[in-house]
Structure formats: structure tokens, C-alpha cells
Amino acid sequence: RDSEINKQLKGRLFLYTELDKKDVVPYEPVQARTYIYKAPGLRSGEEYGFVEEAPKTGADYLRIPLVQTRGPLEWKPVEVGNTVFQRALVEIVTIIPTKTGTVEFRASTMAAQWRIQRARSRDPFFDDPFGDPFASLFGRNLLTAEMPPPPREIEVRPLPRPQPEDFSGIVGNFSVKASVDRSSVNEGEIVTLRLVFEGDGYAEAIPEPS
């Protein structure tokens, strides 16, 4: 790794995580979508990979992986200030806060690699129309830049009080459907009761029905 890489790429190649909400109550799911942003003119042909995955469980939240892009990235233009960056989605996770207060979430760390020629004074990460056309065959080295994602904060408020006496702790918007496999039986025959919970929320928090 080159100690100057991250300095040269600052503001040109980075990760950023978007949260669908930042003000929740305990066990209310939050979706986090992490993107790579690439500045105009950045040399193409780089390769990306995950070098450190965020933990699935932590002191403040649970993490449920949904999407992690390990193949070719799908780049789309997006305007940031006065600059049009290329952006690609690399990770989607659901975060389940387990405590009140400020919860800090950090997505997985990625790295980018280039094969470039070191023996030149110009910025190696940007295209040079007058570069050596044979540089891909001679004198090239592999450079790696790590991209640690910036932390994002989620404010977790306590649940409203007073709570109903029969409150189960489930947070979300659920419906419950019950059905039996037959409505008429003889004495001693078995009937199967089926309960289905459906909706938006953290399903693992649903207790055994009473």
C-alpha cells in the first residue's frame, strides 16, 4: 500500500452511507444503503472488494445483510455540489437498534486496486492522453486504497409511556391472520392452527403467541 494514496484520492473516491430514517425507537428497523462515489476523470480499470465487513451484532444494534455487490458495479451519474460523480451501490443492510440514545453505525470497509506505473510525477489515478501505450505491459505495480466508510448516527428514543399492560415489545406495523385446516371434525381428530404474522418490522422480536 502507498501511504500517499488516500491523500491523493481524498474527495475523489469515497464511500457514503444513506439511512432511510435517523430518528427511531428500539427495535425499529433502519435501512442503510452504502455507495461508492467516483470523481470525473478517475482512471478506469480499477477493481473493488470488501476488506472488512461490519459486525452482524454489536453493543448497540443488530445488523441484517441484504445486498453486497461483489461483481461488476453499476455506475450512475449523481450531482454533488457542482460536480457530477459516478455512483454505485455496494451494500444494503438493515440495522435494528437495541438500546436508546445515540447509536453509531459504520458500513463495511472496501478497497480499490489499480495497476499503474509509479515512475512518473503526474497524478497516477487520473487519465493521461500522452501516457505510455505500453505501460500496461512494462513497469506497472499494484496500488491499493482502502475506503473506510464514515460513521452514521441514529437517534433512538424511548418507547412512549405508559405502555399497555399487554404490550409485547413488538415495534412495527404487523397484521396477524389465523386459520385452521378444516372447520368440521370428529371427536379425537387433529386440527392444525396456522398463525401468520405479516408486515414491516423486526420479525425476530415477535414472541410466542399466548
Side-chain angles (χ1 to χ4, degrees), residues 41-134:
L42 190 66
R43 176 178 291 277
S44 61
E46 71 275 20
E47 295 182 0
Y48 297 95
F50 290 90
V51 294
E52 183 180 351
E53 290 195 17
K56 291 186 178 180
T57 59
D60 302 336
Y61 62 85
L62 306 175
R63 172 181 170 272
I64 303 174
L66 299 178
V67 173
Q68 202 171 66
T69 305
R70 296 185 178 275
L73 300 180
E74 184 178 345
W75 298 97
K76 296 180 180 180
V78 60
E79 189 170 344
V80 181
N82 296 322
T83 305
V84 178
F85 283 74
Q86 293 295 315
R87 185 177 78 166
L89 178 66
V90 292
E91 187 176 62
I92 305 176
V93 302
T94 295
I95 307 160
I96 311 294
T98 57
K99 73 161 200 173
T100 58
T102 300
V103 171
E104 185 178 275
F105 168 74
R106 191 186 295 269
S108 301
T109 299
M110 296 194 71
Q113 290 185 331
W114 292 262
R115 292 190 179 277
I116 67 169
Q117 188 176 20
R118 288 178 182 269
R120 50 189 170 186
S121 60
R122 69 179 184 83
D123 188 337
F125 295 103
F126 281 74
D127 290 320
D128 181 1
F130 304 104
D132 180 1
F134 299 103

